[in-house]
Amino acid sequence: MIIAVDGPAASGKGTIARALADHFGLPHLDTGALYRGVALAMLRAGDDPADAAQATGHAERFPEGLLHDDALRDERTGAAASILSAHDDVRAALLARQRAFAARAGGAVLDGRDIGTVIAPNADVKIYVLASVDARAERRAKELAMRGQLASPSEVAADLIARDARDTARAASPLKPAPDAHILDTTGLSIEDAVTTAIDVVNAAH
């Protein structure tokens, strides 16, 4: 069983995907971490994520250890990842790794922005997670505060709106729900309710 979970930043897709993987006993891949790994490598090298050639070079060789680096979740890393993810060659460099994970025997859960449309278009279950900008900004601000990084919800909201614009407008694999995806709006849901709803969706579809 392959489960594709897509959606914008701070919508809850990662939390839901991890919970689904635990519940159904499947391996999980946060594909956004791959782009954040490239971004972190670029930032530490002093390179510009807007430079497609530099970004592609890092995508082809960034060390796997960066996927477990605490700085992966920093807001600066996320912003850089959003910029470099628009480059066609960067996405191509990471495509094979993501598809190989989706094709593993026994199934998998993958979350990102183009899982149901590009990485695993034949997934058994596709869930598109969304939430209002205000709800997402509040969640992300709290998450950053827990990590000692203070940012106002209004600042975070502005960044999320900019990311959404880049993600939905890019030519390569734009953020959008697959035609057969189940839309899950988490704006007014607790984590527990969102996860329960997602589990029900999978059980009903498989």
Side-chain angles (χ1 to χ4, degrees):
M1 178 169 62
I2 301 173
I3 303 173
V5 183
D6 290 303
S11 60
K13 67 180 180 298
T15 298
I16 289 171
R18 288 190 294 273
L20 289 174
D22 287 342
H23 182 82
F24 292 103
L26 297 170
H28 167 245
L29 175 64
D30 170 7
T31 63
L34 299 177
Y35 291 93
R36 284 174 174 265
V38 177
L40 186 56
M42 292 198 76
L43 292 174
R44 289 181 173 170
D47 291 334
D48 182 2
D51 187 311
Q54 289 183 339
T56 302
H58 282 281
E60 292 172 343
R61 67 174 187 274
F62 79 94
E64 292 287 332
L66 285 182
L67 296 178
H68 307 288
D69 195 299
D70 289 342
L72 210 67
R73 295 298 165 187
D74 287 353
E75 197 67 4
R76 182 166 173 253
T77 306
S82 177
I83 293 171
L84 65 83
S85 67
H87 303 315
D88 291 3
D89 289 344
V90 169
R91 304 195 73 83
L94 299 177
L95 181 63
R97 191 183 308 191
Q98 297 172 75
R99 283 185 169 166
F101 191 93
R104 60 175 54 199
V109 179
L110 294 87
D111 74 83
R113 287 168 173 74
D114 63 349
I115 309 304
T117 55
V118 176
I119 305 302
N122 295 319
D124 300 281
V125 185
K126 301 175 186 177
I127 301 175
Y128 189 88
V129 185
L130 52 79
S132 69
V133 171
D134 288 342
R136 292 159 55 203
E138 184 176 346
R139 294 171 189 170
R140 180 55 57 84
K142 288 180 179 179
E143 177 187 334
L144 291 172
M146 291 177 63
R147 302 182 72 242
Q149 301 173 34
L150 300 181
S152 69
S154 60
E155 292 174 328
V156 177
D159 178 65
L160 290 175
I161 291 171
R163 291 193 198 186
D164 289 349
R166 285 193 295 267
D167 290 343
T168 56
R170 67 181 179 230
S173 308
L175 169 66
K176 62 180 180 180
D180 54 345
H182 178 93
I183 306 300
L184 175 54
D185 189 339
T186 65
T187 300
L189 299 180
S190 66
I191 293 175
E192 293 77 12
D193 287 343
V195 169
T196 297
T197 300
I199 290 173
D200 288 344
V201 168
V202 176
N203 282 332
H206 190 73

